[in-house]
Amino acid sequence: MKKNLFSMLVISVLVLAFVGCANSTGENNAGGSTGESTGGSSYSAKYAVGDIILNDGSKVNYETAKNYTGSDLDGLKSKAIAVIFKVDGGKTLGVGLKHNRSGLRWCTNDANAYNKNIKTIQCPASGDAGNLTFTGDTDGSDNLEQIASFLTTAGLENDTTDASKYPAFYFAKNYKTTATNLGAAYENGWYLPTVAELFDIWKVKATVDAASSLCGGSQFGDSYYWSSSQYASIDSNAYDLNFDDGDWSYYNKLGSNNYVCAVRAFN
């Protein structure tokens, strides 16, 4: 009986120790060198909208970060790379802190995708401003590759490797040249979001803008942003999103008044 009791006590201690380790959040201040490991299978479940992602893989919640001062705030600004805007099951998306606000074309007039209706990257929007729903291609992570596939299938030269012909796409794809503090782990994987993904950002714009501003980043405000989505009704047009009222519109791919942001997955 005593032996069984001793065994039960040992098992209880081990269980409590395991639970204590499993409940550790791993959240870290900006000045620390440790944080959550991106190798964990439940990593994405630990994110929340407004979390500020640092270049060492750790994160700081905005509600915590807004109280930072002095060296903590300086450390945050030097390490912050993105703000989480969507946590949906296994899909966690963040937007880069630095936007292109000088205006870029979706593509140039000599790009082979200019006057083409690329059906595989259509993302039709319906509903009223601020209450939109989307069908079709809602994930923009491979839209540049889908354009390349379309051109090849149509017997056209695949010119999507020419960054000068697809400026908005390459701002996102080459985001590491804009945000130079990304660190090796986050240099790649950035892309131009679909109109559906832009709308996801708009829905939490106040939080995203506040967190980005705290880190010295760009704000969406009431500007128009390019999406990577083809507009179905006009070959030479693509979707953009109005961040003033959360409504979609379409714009000639040659237009250079829209701003551009870069997003990536963090799961």
Side-chain angles (χ1 to χ4, degrees):
M1 188 71 177
K2 289 181 179 179
K3 183 177 180 180
N4 290 340
L5 179 60
F6 176 76
S7 299
M8 290 175 66
L9 287 172
V10 171
I11 292 171
S12 297
V13 170
L14 291 174
V15 169
L16 288 172
F18 175 78
V19 171
C21 292
N23 286 339
S24 176
T25 62
E27 184 164 313
N28 184 44
N29 65 28
S33 60
T34 61
E36 294 177 346
S37 169
T38 55
S41 60
S42 62
Y43 190 55
S44 63
K46 297 178 183 178
Y47 283 131
V49 169
D51 281 351
I52 299 165
I53 307 303
L54 309 185
N55 59 10
D56 62 1
S58 60
K59 54 96 173 180
V60 182
N61 186 268
Y62 168 67
E63 293 300 323
T64 299
K66 70 181 182 181
N67 295 314
Y68 281 4
T69 59
S71 60
D72 282 338
L73 184 58
D74 290 340
L76 180 73
K77 289 180 178 179
S78 68
K79 288 186 173 183
I81 62 172
V83 177
I84 297 298
F85 67 88
K86 183 175 184 178
V87 179
D88 183 11
K91 188 173 185 179
T92 301
L93 297 178
V95 57
L97 299 180
K98 304 297 184 182
H99 307 176
N100 182 292
R101 296 183 63 84
S102 62
L104 293 173
R105 295 179 179 184
W106 198 90
C107 69
T108 58
N109 61 354
D110 60 341
N112 285 335
Y114 167 53
N115 201 27
K116 302 293 187 298
N117 194 322
I118 307 163
K119 293 183 178 180
T120 57
I121 61 169
Q122 290 178 7
C123 184
S126 60
D128 298 325
N131 190 31
L132 301 177
T133 58
F134 301 89
T135 56
D137 176 41
T138 58
D139 180 352
S141 61
D142 65 348
N143 277 7
L144 189 60
E145 289 75 15
Q146 290 199 61
I147 294 173
S149 178
F150 168 87
L151 294 175
T152 301
T153 302
L156 299 169
E157 177 191 357
N158 172 22
D159 60 357
T160 61
T161 57
D162 187 341
S164 67
K165 292 186 177 182
Y166 297 88
F169 286 89
Y170 272 89
F171 169 81
K173 185 177 179 66
N174 294 334
Y175 183 60
K176 63 184 178 183
T177 63
T178 297
T180 55
N181 67 326
L182 293 177
Y186 299 113
E187 285 187 346
N188 301 309
W190 300 89
Y191 63 91
L192 185 65
T194 64
V195 65
E197 289 169 326
L198 286 176
F199 186 70
D200 286 332
I201 299 174
W202 177 84
K203 289 188 292 186
V204 293
K205 179 184 71 169
T207 298
V208 171
D209 276 354
S212 182
S213 178
L214 183 68
C215 301
S218 306
Q219 290 81 60
F220 285 92
D222 58 359
S223 305
Y224 283 83
Y225 276 74
W226 268 129
S227 82
S228 60
S229 303
Q230 169 76 45
Y231 181 57
S233 300
I234 304 175
D235 294 358
S236 60
N237 281 228
Y239 275 106
D240 55 10
L241 192 88
N242 181 354
F243 271 81
D244 179 30
D245 60 1
D247 203 5
W248 64 273
S249 63
Y250 54 91
Y251 192 32
N252 191 287
K253 295 172 183 176
L254 304 182
S256 59
N257 293 324
N258 286 345
Y259 299 150
V260 182
C261 67
V263 305
R264 84 183 304 275
F266 284 92
N267 48 302

